[in-house]
Amino acid sequence: MAIDSIGNNCCGCRACLQKCSFGAITFATDAYGFEYPKIDATLCTNCGLCEKVCPIINNVQTTNANFCGMAYALDPKTKFNGSSGGLFGTFAEAVIAQSGVVFGAAFDEDLKLKTTKAETLEELVPLYKSKYLLCDTSYQFDAIKDELKKGRKVLYCSSPCQIAALKLYLKEEYENLLTIDFVCHGVGSQTLFDRSLENIEK
């Protein structure tokens, strides 16, 4: 399957955009603001790298799928700061305590949700709480890879499709990479979120 024929099956992980070194891929949006890749045929070299990192085309399967459990943060503050029991905070704080780095979803000053890096407990604060919105990962997979190659412990928390995309992007297993995903029932688009804010403001 060609990357630009995915249409509304696209999960918006942007792994293809980050992998293409020729600038041949851009993202368009449908009427509801959901993204899908477009290829500029004049720039594309048909190398196929974009297809190799796509979690939709490759249908990545999770290992250790037979295990299921539940837990919550024992520290009341961590539990309160987080969502669904605060486990993200428990893992994230432990990684930072080991001089590691955490990547997760945070709103910027314009309330755009983006994959954001945290290296201190203060920088970690915007990454807390669930945000059921498509997160812009643009060019953060390379940043994650750079930190892994430095030998730092890296925690990446995101939706299952974006975790799958990162692993395809990396092409190899890293012992210093810890990923956390969640049971995802679908995310809204940034466009619909923006329209909702505009409506509330009116």
Side-chain angles (χ1 to χ4, degrees), residues 69-128:
M70 52 184 186
Y72 58 87
L74 294 178
D75 178 65
K77 182 179 179 181
T78 301
K79 185 178 178 182
F80 177 79
N81 287 339
S83 302
S84 305
L87 275 187
F88 165 73
T90 300
F91 288 114
E93 290 164 14
V95 167
I96 286 179
Q98 298 173 60
S99 300
V101 58
V102 177
F103 289 83
F107 287 107
D108 67 11
E109 61 275 6
D110 297 316
L111 287 180
K112 307 300 182 188
L113 192 64
K114 297 182 177 180
T115 300
T116 306
K117 180 172 74 170
E119 298 183 83
T120 66
L121 295 179
E122 291 74 22
E123 292 174 344
L124 195 59
V125 173
L127 276 62
Y128 286 115

